[in-house]
Amino acid sequence: MIPIPSGVRVWIATGHTDMRRGMQSLALTVQESLKRDPHAGDLYIFRGRRGDLVKILWHDGLGMSLYAKRLDRGRFI
């Protein structure tokens, strides 16, 4: 479990995202599409086309982290 400080905003990207993309590419998407700073400390969540995978981009003040969660059954809606 990774503790997330209170006051952190969560941004959920609409639509689907190419899950082959890495940390730098997703950070660029945050800058260009959302017009947000990916190093500001907010969480950015991206969903794959099939809906069984999400990637979370977060800068905790020390560095950028990329988390991935895949469901064995079901989908993220």
Side-chain angles (χ1 to χ4, degrees):
M1 186 78 169
I2 298 169
I4 299 173
S6 63
V8 171
R9 290 177 289 198
V10 178
W11 297 84
I12 302 174
T14 59
H16 61 272
T17 303
D18 183 1
M19 289 291 106
R20 297 175 291 182
R21 300 177 83 180
M23 189 180 321
Q24 290 83 9
S25 181
L26 291 173
L28 185 63
T29 300
V30 169
Q31 286 179 332
E32 292 180 347
S33 298
L34 299 175
K35 306 290 191 248
R36 306 286 307 167
D37 180 14
H39 300 96
D42 296 336
L43 284 171
Y44 299 96
I45 302 175
F46 302 91
R47 179 185 177 268
R49 180 181 298 270
R50 292 185 301 176
D52 64 341
L53 177 67
V54 294
K55 286 189 176 181
I56 302 169
L57 189 66
W58 180 42
H59 191 279
D60 62 359
L62 298 175
M64 187 76 71
S65 299
L66 180 65
Y67 302 96
K69 176 70 174 180
R70 182 179 307 270
L71 296 178
D72 291 330
R73 291 182 307 239
R75 298 191 190 299
F76 292 103
I77 298 181

PDB file of all heavy atoms in Angstrom, residues 11-13 15-21 26 44-57 66-72 74-77:
ATOM      1  N   TRP A  11      -7.062  12.807 -11.569  1.00  0.00           N
ATOM      2  CA  TRP A  11      -7.533  13.130 -12.911  1.00  0.00           C
ATOM      3  C   TRP A  11      -7.677  11.825 -13.678  1.00  0.00           C
ATOM      4  O   TRP A  11      -6.734  11.038 -13.770  1.00  0.00           O
ATOM      5  CB  TRP A  11      -6.540  14.035 -13.620  1.00  0.00           C
ATOM      6  CG  TRP A  11      -6.366  15.362 -12.961  1.00  0.00           C
ATOM      7  CD1 TRP A  11      -5.550  15.645 -11.916  1.00  0.00           C
ATOM      8  CD2 TRP A  11      -7.024  16.573 -13.292  1.00  0.00           C
ATOM      9  NE1 TRP A  11      -5.659  16.960 -11.563  1.00  0.00           N
ATOM     10  CE2 TRP A  11      -6.557  17.562 -12.416  1.00  0.00           C
ATOM     11  CE3 TRP A  11      -7.960  16.919 -14.261  1.00  0.00           C
ATOM     12  CZ2 TRP A  11      -7.003  18.871 -12.463  1.00  0.00           C
ATOM     13  CZ3 TRP A  11      -8.396  18.229 -14.316  1.00  0.00           C
ATOM     14  CH2 TRP A  11      -7.930  19.187 -13.425  1.00  0.00           C
ATOM     15  N   ILE A  12      -8.861  11.583 -14.234  1.00  0.00           N
ATOM     16  CA  ILE A  12      -9.124  10.364 -15.000  1.00  0.00           C
ATOM     17  C   ILE A  12      -9.273  10.747 -16.463  1.00  0.00           C
ATOM     18  O   ILE A  12     -10.133  11.546 -16.817  1.00  0.00           O
ATOM     19  CB  ILE A  12     -10.395   9.650 -14.495  1.00  0.00           C
ATOM     20  CG1 ILE A  12     -10.238   9.311 -13.013  1.00  0.00           C
ATOM     21  CG2 ILE A  12     -10.662   8.397 -15.321  1.00  0.00           C
ATOM     22  CD1 ILE A  12     -11.481   8.748 -12.381  1.00  0.00           C
ATOM     23  N   ALA A  13      -8.399  10.166 -17.301  1.00  0.00           N
ATOM     24  CA  ALA A  13      -8.450  10.446 -18.737  1.00  0.00           C
ATOM     25  C   ALA A  13      -9.676   9.761 -19.333  1.00  0.00           C
ATOM     26  O   ALA A  13      -9.937   8.590 -19.044  1.00  0.00           O
ATOM     27  CB  ALA A  13      -7.182   9.956 -19.414  1.00  0.00           C
ATOM     28  N   GLY A  15     -11.974   8.160 -22.424  1.00  0.00           N
ATOM     29  CA  GLY A  15     -11.626   7.333 -23.577  1.00  0.00           C
ATOM     30  C   GLY A  15     -10.613   6.269 -23.197  1.00  0.00           C
ATOM     31  O   GLY A  15     -10.462   5.925 -22.029  1.00  0.00           O
ATOM     32  N   HIS A  16      -9.918   5.754 -24.201  1.00  0.00           N
ATOM     33  CA  HIS A  16      -8.912   4.738 -23.928  1.00  0.00           C
ATOM     34  C   HIS A  16      -7.535   5.255 -24.336  1.00  0.00           C
ATOM     35  O   HIS A  16      -7.406   6.172 -25.139  1.00  0.00           O
ATOM     36  CB  HIS A  16      -9.238   3.433 -24.653  1.00  0.00           C
ATOM     37  CG  HIS A  16      -9.280   3.587 -26.136  1.00  0.00           C
ATOM     38  ND1 HIS A  16     -10.429   3.943 -26.792  1.00  0.00           N
ATOM     39  CD2 HIS A  16      -8.319   3.450 -27.069  1.00  0.00           C
ATOM     40  CE1 HIS A  16     -10.171   4.021 -28.074  1.00  0.00           C
ATOM     41  NE2 HIS A  16      -8.896   3.731 -28.278  1.00  0.00           N
ATOM     42  N   THR A  17      -6.513   4.667 -23.756  1.00  0.00           N
ATOM     43  CA  THR A  17      -5.132   5.057 -23.992  1.00  0.00           C
ATOM     44  C   THR A  17      -4.350   3.842 -24.466  1.00  0.00           C
ATOM     45  O   THR A  17      -4.606   2.723 -24.018  1.00  0.00           O
ATOM     46  CB  THR A  17      -4.507   5.593 -22.683  1.00  0.00           C
ATOM     47  OG1 THR A  17      -5.300   6.672 -22.200  1.00  0.00           O
ATOM     48  CG2 THR A  17      -3.098   6.078 -22.894  1.00  0.00           C
ATOM     49  N   ASP A  18      -3.391   4.056 -25.335  1.00  0.00           N
ATOM     50  CA  ASP A  18      -2.507   2.989 -25.780  1.00  0.00           C
ATOM     51  C   ASP A  18      -1.639   2.562 -24.588  1.00  0.00           C
ATOM     52  O   ASP A  18      -0.820   3.333 -24.100  1.00  0.00           O
ATOM     53  CB  ASP A  18      -1.631   3.495 -26.922  1.00  0.00           C
ATOM     54  CG  ASP A  18      -0.733   2.435 -27.507  1.00  0.00           C
ATOM     55  OD1 ASP A  18      -0.777   1.278 -27.044  1.00  0.00           O
ATOM     56  OD2 ASP A  18       0.028   2.761 -28.443  1.00  0.00           O
ATOM     57  N   MET A  19      -1.832   1.343 -24.110  1.00  0.00           N
ATOM     58  CA  MET A  19      -1.139   0.878 -22.905  1.00  0.00           C
ATOM     59  C   MET A  19       0.312   0.498 -23.157  1.00  0.00           C
ATOM     60  O   MET A  19       1.030   0.137 -22.231  1.00  0.00           O
ATOM     61  CB  MET A  19      -1.885  -0.308 -22.289  1.00  0.00           C
ATOM     62  CG  MET A  19      -3.198   0.079 -21.642  1.00  0.00           C
ATOM     63  SD  MET A  19      -2.970   1.073 -20.146  1.00  0.00           S
ATOM     64  CE  MET A  19      -3.435   2.682 -20.661  1.00  0.00           C
ATOM     65  N   ARG A  20       0.781   0.619 -24.393  1.00  0.00           N
ATOM     66  CA  ARG A  20       2.212   0.412 -24.668  1.00  0.00           C
ATOM     67  C   ARG A  20       3.012   1.646 -24.286  1.00  0.00           C
ATOM     68  O   ARG A  20       4.239   1.590 -24.213  1.00  0.00           O
ATOM     69  CB  ARG A  20       2.428   0.100 -26.149  1.00  0.00           C
ATOM     70  CG  ARG A  20       1.756  -1.192 -26.575  1.00  0.00           C
ATOM     71  CD  ARG A  20       1.893  -1.395 -28.050  1.00  0.00           C
ATOM     72  NE  ARG A  20       1.084  -0.384 -28.740  1.00  0.00           N
ATOM     73  CZ  ARG A  20       0.954  -0.305 -30.050  1.00  0.00           C
ATOM     74  NH1 ARG A  20       1.582  -1.159 -30.832  1.00  0.00           N
ATOM     75  NH2 ARG A  20       0.200   0.628 -30.601  1.00  0.00           N
ATOM     76  N   ARG A  21       2.328   2.740 -24.024  1.00  0.00           N
ATOM     77  CA  ARG A  21       3.006   3.986 -23.686  1.00  0.00           C
ATOM     78  C   ARG A  21       3.636   3.914 -22.309  1.00  0.00           C
ATOM     79  O   ARG A  21       3.101   3.303 -21.398  1.00  0.00           O
ATOM     80  CB  ARG A  21       2.015   5.136 -23.743  1.00  0.00           C
ATOM     81  CG  ARG A  21       1.409   5.279 -25.140  1.00  0.00           C
ATOM     82  CD  ARG A  21       0.400   6.342 -25.190  1.00  0.00           C
ATOM     83  NE  ARG A  21       1.114   7.603 -25.366  1.00  0.00           N
ATOM     84  CZ  ARG A  21       0.511   8.773 -25.447  1.00  0.00           C
ATOM     85  NH1 ARG A  21      -0.784   8.847 -25.331  1.00  0.00           N
ATOM     86  NH2 ARG A  21       1.215   9.865 -25.618  1.00  0.00           N
ATOM     87  N   LEU A  26       3.175   9.231 -21.334  1.00  0.00           N
ATOM     88  CA  LEU A  26       1.957   9.585 -20.593  1.00  0.00           C
ATOM     89  C   LEU A  26       2.084  10.970 -19.965  1.00  0.00           C
ATOM     90  O   LEU A  26       1.114  11.726 -19.922  1.00  0.00           O
ATOM     91  CB  LEU A  26       1.652   8.526 -19.535  1.00  0.00           C
ATOM     92  CG  LEU A  26       1.217   7.166 -20.075  1.00  0.00           C
ATOM     93  CD1 LEU A  26       1.104   6.164 -18.942  1.00  0.00           C
ATOM     94  CD2 LEU A  26      -0.083   7.264 -20.849  1.00  0.00           C
ATOM     95  N   TYR A  44      -2.790  10.824 -12.221  1.00  0.00           N
ATOM     96  CA  TYR A  44      -3.394  10.774 -13.553  1.00  0.00           C
ATOM     97  C   TYR A  44      -3.633   9.308 -13.893  1.00  0.00           C
ATOM     98  O   TYR A  44      -2.707   8.496 -13.878  1.00  0.00           O
ATOM     99  CB  TYR A  44      -2.478  11.422 -14.586  1.00  0.00           C
ATOM    100  CG  TYR A  44      -2.228  12.876 -14.268  1.00  0.00           C
ATOM    101  CD1 TYR A  44      -1.093  13.274 -13.572  1.00  0.00           C
ATOM    102  CD2 TYR A  44      -3.144  13.849 -14.630  1.00  0.00           C
ATOM    103  CE1 TYR A  44      -0.871  14.603 -13.261  1.00  0.00           C
ATOM    104  CE2 TYR A  44      -2.941  15.186 -14.320  1.00  0.00           C
ATOM    105  CZ  TYR A  44      -1.805  15.546 -13.640  1.00  0.00           C
ATOM    106  OH  TYR A  44      -1.599  16.861 -13.317  1.00  0.00           O
ATOM    107  N   ILE A  45      -4.888   8.980 -14.202  1.00  0.00           N
ATOM    108  CA  ILE A  45      -5.272   7.583 -14.443  1.00  0.00           C
ATOM    109  C   ILE A  45      -5.671   7.421 -15.898  1.00  0.00           C
ATOM    110  O   ILE A  45      -6.470   8.193 -16.428  1.00  0.00           O
ATOM    111  CB  ILE A  45      -6.430   7.168 -13.520  1.00  0.00           C
ATOM    112  CG1 ILE A  45      -6.018   7.373 -12.060  1.00  0.00           C
ATOM    113  CG2 ILE A  45      -6.834   5.722 -13.781  1.00  0.00           C
ATOM    114  CD1 ILE A  45      -7.109   7.125 -11.061  1.00  0.00           C
ATOM    115  N   PHE A  46      -5.100   6.386 -16.533  1.00  0.00           N
ATOM    116  CA  PHE A  46      -5.362   6.075 -17.933  1.00  0.00           C
ATOM    117  C   PHE A  46      -5.881   4.653 -18.029  1.00  0.00           C
ATOM    118  O   PHE A  46      -5.360   3.753 -17.385  1.00  0.00           O
ATOM    119  CB  PHE A  46      -4.075   6.203 -18.760  1.00  0.00           C
ATOM    120  CG  PHE A  46      -3.448   7.565 -18.681  1.00  0.00           C
ATOM    121  CD1 PHE A  46      -2.491   7.845 -17.716  1.00  0.00           C
ATOM    122  CD2 PHE A  46      -3.810   8.556 -19.568  1.00  0.00           C
ATOM    123  CE1 PHE A  46      -1.914   9.095 -17.647  1.00  0.00           C
ATOM    124  CE2 PHE A  46      -3.244   9.815 -19.496  1.00  0.00           C
ATOM    125  CZ  PHE A  46      -2.288  10.089 -18.536  1.00  0.00           C
ATOM    126  N   ARG A  47      -6.903   4.445 -18.877  1.00  0.00           N
ATOM    127  CA  ARG A  47      -7.545   3.134 -19.044  1.00  0.00           C
ATOM    128  C   ARG A  47      -7.226   2.587 -20.420  1.00  0.00           C
ATOM    129  O   ARG A  47      -7.220   3.310 -21.405  1.00  0.00           O
ATOM    130  CB  ARG A  47      -9.057   3.305 -18.893  1.00  0.00           C
ATOM    131  CG  ARG A  47      -9.857   2.042 -19.061  1.00  0.00           C
ATOM    132  CD  ARG A  47     -11.349   2.386 -19.007  1.00  0.00           C
ATOM    133  NE  ARG A  47     -12.181   1.241 -19.228  1.00  0.00           N
ATOM    134  CZ  ARG A  47     -12.640   0.865 -20.417  1.00  0.00           C
ATOM    135  NH1 ARG A  47     -12.328   1.550 -21.495  1.00  0.00           N
ATOM    136  NH2 ARG A  47     -13.402  -0.194 -20.527  1.00  0.00           N
ATOM    137  N   GLY A  48      -6.988   1.276 -20.492  1.00  0.00           N
ATOM    138  CA  GLY A  48      -6.729   0.616 -21.757  1.00  0.00           C
ATOM    139  C   GLY A  48      -8.006   0.365 -22.542  1.00  0.00           C
ATOM    140  O   GLY A  48      -9.115   0.502 -22.032  1.00  0.00           O
ATOM    141  N   ARG A  49      -7.853  -0.019 -23.804  1.00  0.00           N
ATOM    142  CA  ARG A  49      -9.006  -0.243 -24.685  1.00  0.00           C
ATOM    143  C   ARG A  49      -9.892  -1.373 -24.189  1.00  0.00           C
ATOM    144  O   ARG A  49     -11.117  -1.271 -24.182  1.00  0.00           O
ATOM    145  CB  ARG A  49      -8.524  -0.556 -26.096  1.00  0.00           C
ATOM    146  CG  ARG A  49      -9.661  -0.804 -27.080  1.00  0.00           C
ATOM    147  CD  ARG A  49      -9.173  -1.127 -28.474  1.00  0.00           C
ATOM    148  NE  ARG A  49      -8.424  -0.055 -29.076  1.00  0.00           N
ATOM    149  CZ  ARG A  49      -8.954   0.919 -29.816  1.00  0.00           C
ATOM    150  NH1 ARG A  49     -10.244   0.944 -30.026  1.00  0.00           N
ATOM    151  NH2 ARG A  49      -8.204   1.852 -30.328  1.00  0.00           N
ATOM    152  N   ARG A  50      -9.301  -2.483 -23.765  1.00  0.00           N
ATOM    153  CA  ARG A  50     -10.106  -3.620 -23.301  1.00  0.00           C
ATOM    154  C   ARG A  50     -10.727  -3.388 -21.936  1.00  0.00           C
ATOM    155  O   ARG A  50     -11.650  -4.085 -21.543  1.00  0.00           O
ATOM    156  CB  ARG A  50      -9.247  -4.888 -23.265  1.00  0.00           C
ATOM    157  CG  ARG A  50      -8.856  -5.358 -24.650  1.00  0.00           C
ATOM    158  CD  ARG A  50      -8.127  -6.654 -24.584  1.00  0.00           C
ATOM    159  NE  ARG A  50      -6.923  -6.512 -23.757  1.00  0.00           N
ATOM    160  CZ  ARG A  50      -6.115  -7.495 -23.440  1.00  0.00           C
ATOM    161  NH1 ARG A  50      -6.373  -8.704 -23.847  1.00  0.00           N
ATOM    162  NH2 ARG A  50      -5.049  -7.280 -22.717  1.00  0.00           N
ATOM    163  N   GLY A  51     -10.194  -2.438 -21.181  1.00  0.00           N
ATOM    164  CA  GLY A  51     -10.774  -2.111 -19.892  1.00  0.00           C
ATOM    165  C   GLY A  51     -10.257  -2.938 -18.736  1.00  0.00           C
ATOM    166  O   GLY A  51     -10.695  -2.760 -17.609  1.00  0.00           O
ATOM    167  N   ASP A  52      -9.306  -3.837 -18.993  1.00  0.00           N
ATOM    168  CA  ASP A  52      -8.791  -4.665 -17.904  1.00  0.00           C
ATOM    169  C   ASP A  52      -7.479  -4.127 -17.336  1.00  0.00           C
ATOM    170  O   ASP A  52      -6.915  -4.708 -16.419  1.00  0.00           O
ATOM    171  CB  ASP A  52      -8.605  -6.112 -18.367  1.00  0.00           C
ATOM    172  CG  ASP A  52      -7.560  -6.262 -19.452  1.00  0.00           C
ATOM    173  OD1 ASP A  52      -7.227  -5.247 -20.104  1.00  0.00           O
ATOM    174  OD2 ASP A  52      -7.071  -7.384 -19.655  1.00  0.00           O
ATOM    175  N   LEU A  53      -6.995  -2.998 -17.854  1.00  0.00           N
ATOM    176  CA  LEU A  53      -5.721  -2.442 -17.417  1.00  0.00           C
ATOM    177  C   LEU A  53      -5.849  -0.936 -17.221  1.00  0.00           C
ATOM    178  O   LEU A  53      -6.443  -0.243 -18.055  1.00  0.00           O
ATOM    179  CB  LEU A  53      -4.635  -2.737 -18.464  1.00  0.00           C
ATOM    180  CG  LEU A  53      -3.239  -2.174 -18.216  1.00  0.00           C
ATOM    181  CD1 LEU A  53      -2.603  -2.839 -17.000  1.00  0.00           C
ATOM    182  CD2 LEU A  53      -2.368  -2.387 -19.436  1.00  0.00           C
ATOM    183  N   VAL A  54      -5.305  -0.439 -16.113  1.00  0.00           N
ATOM    184  CA  VAL A  54      -5.161   1.003 -15.906  1.00  0.00           C
ATOM    185  C   VAL A  54      -3.711   1.288 -15.548  1.00  0.00           C
ATOM    186  O   VAL A  54      -3.013   0.447 -14.970  1.00  0.00           O
ATOM    187  CB  VAL A  54      -6.091   1.572 -14.799  1.00  0.00           C
ATOM    188  CG1 VAL A  54      -7.531   1.476 -15.186  1.00  0.00           C
ATOM    189  CG2 VAL A  54      -5.831   0.952 -13.477  1.00  0.00           C
ATOM    190  N   LYS A  55      -3.256   2.476 -15.928  1.00  0.00           N
ATOM    191  CA  LYS A  55      -1.943   2.958 -15.530  1.00  0.00           C
ATOM    192  C   LYS A  55      -2.141   4.274 -14.793  1.00  0.00           C
ATOM    193  O   LYS A  55      -2.965   5.104 -15.179  1.00  0.00           O
ATOM    194  CB  LYS A  55      -1.043   3.167 -16.746  1.00  0.00           C
ATOM    195  CG  LYS A  55      -0.540   1.872 -17.337  1.00  0.00           C
ATOM    196  CD  LYS A  55       0.515   2.116 -18.389  1.00  0.00           C
ATOM    197  CE  LYS A  55       1.068   0.787 -18.879  1.00  0.00           C
ATOM    198  NZ  LYS A  55       2.118   1.003 -19.892  1.00  0.00           N
ATOM    199  N   ILE A  56      -1.377   4.432 -13.725  1.00  0.00           N
ATOM    200  CA  ILE A  56      -1.482   5.620 -12.879  1.00  0.00           C
ATOM    201  C   ILE A  56      -0.124   6.304 -12.863  1.00  0.00           C
ATOM    202  O   ILE A  56       0.893   5.678 -12.559  1.00  0.00           O
ATOM    203  CB  ILE A  56      -1.904   5.246 -11.449  1.00  0.00           C
ATOM    204  CG1 ILE A  56      -3.240   4.511 -11.483  1.00  0.00           C
ATOM    205  CG2 ILE A  56      -1.964   6.485 -10.572  1.00  0.00           C
ATOM    206  CD1 ILE A  56      -3.622   3.871 -10.168  1.00  0.00           C
ATOM    207  N   LEU A  57      -0.122   7.574 -13.194  1.00  0.00           N
ATOM    208  CA  LEU A  57       1.091   8.382 -13.205  1.00  0.00           C
ATOM    209  C   LEU A  57       1.037   9.330 -12.022  1.00  0.00           C
ATOM    210  O   LEU A  57       0.028  10.015 -11.817  1.00  0.00           O
ATOM    211  CB  LEU A  57       1.147   9.166 -14.526  1.00  0.00           C
ATOM    212  CG  LEU A  57       2.420   9.916 -14.852  1.00  0.00           C
ATOM    213  CD1 LEU A  57       3.562   8.934 -15.087  1.00  0.00           C
ATOM    214  CD2 LEU A  57       2.209  10.770 -16.083  1.00  0.00           C
ATOM    215  N   LEU A  66       5.122   5.207 -12.101  1.00  0.00           N
ATOM    216  CA  LEU A  66       4.105   4.674 -13.000  1.00  0.00           C
ATOM    217  C   LEU A  66       3.644   3.352 -12.413  1.00  0.00           C
ATOM    218  O   LEU A  66       4.434   2.429 -12.233  1.00  0.00           O
ATOM    219  CB  LEU A  66       4.672   4.463 -14.406  1.00  0.00           C
ATOM    220  CG  LEU A  66       3.704   3.904 -15.434  1.00  0.00           C
ATOM    221  CD1 LEU A  66       2.574   4.894 -15.686  1.00  0.00           C
ATOM    222  CD2 LEU A  66       4.431   3.598 -16.725  1.00  0.00           C
ATOM    223  N   TYR A  67       2.360   3.276 -12.096  1.00  0.00           N
ATOM    224  CA  TYR A  67       1.767   2.070 -11.531  1.00  0.00           C
ATOM    225  C   TYR A  67       0.815   1.472 -12.553  1.00  0.00           C
ATOM    226  O   TYR A  67       0.146   2.202 -13.281  1.00  0.00           O
ATOM    227  CB  TYR A  67       0.989   2.394 -10.243  1.00  0.00           C
ATOM    228  CG  TYR A  67       1.830   3.042  -9.185  1.00  0.00           C
ATOM    229  CD1 TYR A  67       1.855   4.428  -9.037  1.00  0.00           C
ATOM    230  CD2 TYR A  67       2.616   2.279  -8.339  1.00  0.00           C
ATOM    231  CE1 TYR A  67       2.634   5.030  -8.070  1.00  0.00           C
ATOM    232  CE2 TYR A  67       3.400   2.879  -7.370  1.00  0.00           C
ATOM    233  CZ  TYR A  67       3.407   4.251  -7.249  1.00  0.00           C
ATOM    234  OH  TYR A  67       4.188   4.836  -6.295  1.00  0.00           O
ATOM    235  N   ALA A  68       0.760   0.159 -12.602  1.00  0.00           N
ATOM    236  CA  ALA A  68      -0.157  -0.528 -13.509  1.00  0.00           C
ATOM    237  C   ALA A  68      -0.963  -1.536 -12.707  1.00  0.00           C
ATOM    238  O   ALA A  68      -0.439  -2.199 -11.808  1.00  0.00           O
ATOM    239  CB  ALA A  68       0.602  -1.231 -14.617  1.00  0.00           C
ATOM    240  N   LYS A  69      -2.243  -1.644 -13.029  1.00  0.00           N
ATOM    241  CA  LYS A  69      -3.127  -2.608 -12.372  1.00  0.00           C
ATOM    242  C   LYS A  69      -3.921  -3.317 -13.452  1.00  0.00           C
ATOM    243  O   LYS A  69      -4.594  -2.691 -14.260  1.00  0.00           O
ATOM    244  CB  LYS A  69      -4.085  -1.885 -11.417  1.00  0.00           C
ATOM    245  CG  LYS A  69      -5.102  -2.779 -10.755  1.00  0.00           C
ATOM    246  CD  LYS A  69      -4.477  -3.697  -9.756  1.00  0.00           C
ATOM    247  CE  LYS A  69      -5.548  -4.470  -9.015  1.00  0.00           C
ATOM    248  NZ  LYS A  69      -4.982  -5.356  -8.038  1.00  0.00           N
ATOM    249  N   ARG A  70      -3.815  -4.651 -13.487  1.00  0.00           N
ATOM    250  CA  ARG A  70      -4.544  -5.459 -14.451  1.00  0.00           C
ATOM    251  C   ARG A  70      -5.507  -6.355 -13.680  1.00  0.00           C
ATOM    252  O   ARG A  70      -5.137  -6.977 -12.692  1.00  0.00           O
ATOM    253  CB  ARG A  70      -3.602  -6.322 -15.278  1.00  0.00           C
ATOM    254  CG  ARG A  70      -4.315  -7.153 -16.333  1.00  0.00           C
ATOM    255  CD  ARG A  70      -3.361  -7.992 -17.154  1.00  0.00           C
ATOM    256  NE  ARG A  70      -2.292  -7.245 -17.736  1.00  0.00           N
ATOM    257  CZ  ARG A  70      -2.334  -6.658 -18.948  1.00  0.00           C
ATOM    258  NH1 ARG A  70      -3.426  -6.726 -19.658  1.00  0.00           N
ATOM    259  NH2 ARG A  70      -1.301  -6.012 -19.403  1.00  0.00           N
ATOM    260  N   LEU A  71      -6.748  -6.416 -14.158  1.00  0.00           N
ATOM    261  CA  LEU A  71      -7.755  -7.271 -13.540  1.00  0.00           C
ATOM    262  C   LEU A  71      -7.754  -8.637 -14.212  1.00  0.00           C
ATOM    263  O   LEU A  71      -7.698  -8.732 -15.436  1.00  0.00           O
ATOM    264  CB  LEU A  71      -9.151  -6.641 -13.681  1.00  0.00           C
ATOM    265  CG  LEU A  71      -9.375  -5.312 -12.970  1.00  0.00           C
ATOM    266  CD1 LEU A  71     -10.768  -4.807 -13.257  1.00  0.00           C
ATOM    267  CD2 LEU A  71      -9.159  -5.466 -11.484  1.00  0.00           C
ATOM    268  N   ASP A  72      -7.814  -9.696 -13.422  1.00  0.00           N
ATOM    269  CA  ASP A  72      -7.927 -11.046 -13.971  1.00  0.00           C
ATOM    270  C   ASP A  72      -9.322 -11.283 -14.529  1.00  0.00           C
ATOM    271  O   ASP A  72      -9.497 -11.948 -15.547  1.00  0.00           O
ATOM    272  CB  ASP A  72      -7.626 -12.097 -12.906  1.00  0.00           C
ATOM    273  CG  ASP A  72      -6.173 -12.082 -12.506  1.00  0.00           C
ATOM    274  OD1 ASP A  72      -5.322 -11.733 -13.348  1.00  0.00           O
ATOM    275  OD2 ASP A  72      -5.869 -12.429 -11.351  1.00  0.00           O
ATOM    276  N   GLY A  74     -13.250  -9.239 -15.097  1.00  0.00           N
ATOM    277  CA  GLY A  74     -13.972  -7.982 -15.070  1.00  0.00           C
ATOM    278  C   GLY A  74     -13.217  -6.877 -15.786  1.00  0.00           C
ATOM    279  O   GLY A  74     -12.179  -7.089 -16.386  1.00  0.00           O
ATOM    280  N   ARG A  75     -13.780  -5.680 -15.698  1.00  0.00           N
ATOM    281  CA  ARG A  75     -13.214  -4.532 -16.386  1.00  0.00           C
ATOM    282  C   ARG A  75     -13.360  -3.282 -15.517  1.00  0.00           C
ATOM    283  O   ARG A  75     -14.250  -3.178 -14.698  1.00  0.00           O
ATOM    284  CB  ARG A  75     -13.954  -4.284 -17.695  1.00  0.00           C
ATOM    285  CG  ARG A  75     -13.855  -5.411 -18.664  1.00  0.00           C
ATOM    286  CD  ARG A  75     -14.373  -4.984 -20.022  1.00  0.00           C
ATOM    287  NE  ARG A  75     -14.534  -6.033 -20.984  1.00  0.00           N
ATOM    288  CZ  ARG A  75     -13.597  -6.821 -21.460  1.00  0.00           C
ATOM    289  NH1 ARG A  75     -12.400  -6.720 -21.014  1.00  0.00           N
ATOM    290  NH2 ARG A  75     -13.851  -7.733 -22.365  1.00  0.00           N
ATOM    291  N   PHE A  76     -12.468  -2.334 -15.742  1.00  0.00           N
ATOM    292  CA  PHE A  76     -12.612  -1.008 -15.159  1.00  0.00           C
ATOM    293  C   PHE A  76     -13.616  -0.252 -16.011  1.00  0.00           C
ATOM    294  O   PHE A  76     -13.516  -0.236 -17.224  1.00  0.00           O
ATOM    295  CB  PHE A  76     -11.275  -0.247 -15.167  1.00  0.00           C
ATOM    296  CG  PHE A  76     -10.246  -0.829 -14.255  1.00  0.00           C
ATOM    297  CD1 PHE A  76      -9.208  -1.588 -14.752  1.00  0.00           C
ATOM    298  CD2 PHE A  76     -10.322  -0.613 -12.894  1.00  0.00           C
ATOM    299  CE1 PHE A  76      -8.243  -2.105 -13.910  1.00  0.00           C
ATOM    300  CE2 PHE A  76      -9.366  -1.137 -12.045  1.00  0.00           C
ATOM    301  CZ  PHE A  76      -8.328  -1.894 -12.560  1.00  0.00           C
ATOM    302  N   ILE A  77     -14.597   0.350 -15.401  1.00  0.00           N
ATOM    303  CA  ILE A  77     -15.647   1.050 -16.143  1.00  0.00           C
ATOM    304  C   ILE A  77     -15.375   2.541 -16.124  1.00  0.00           C
ATOM    305  O   ILE A  77     -14.961   3.090 -15.153  1.00  0.00           O
ATOM    306  CB  ILE A  77     -17.028   0.733 -15.543  1.00  0.00           C
ATOM    307  CG1 ILE A  77     -17.257  -0.758 -15.674  1.00  0.00           C
ATOM    308  CG2 ILE A  77     -18.105   1.534 -16.212  1.00  0.00           C
ATOM    309  CD1 ILE A  77     -18.577  -1.246 -15.168  1.00  0.00           C
TER     310      ILE A  77
END
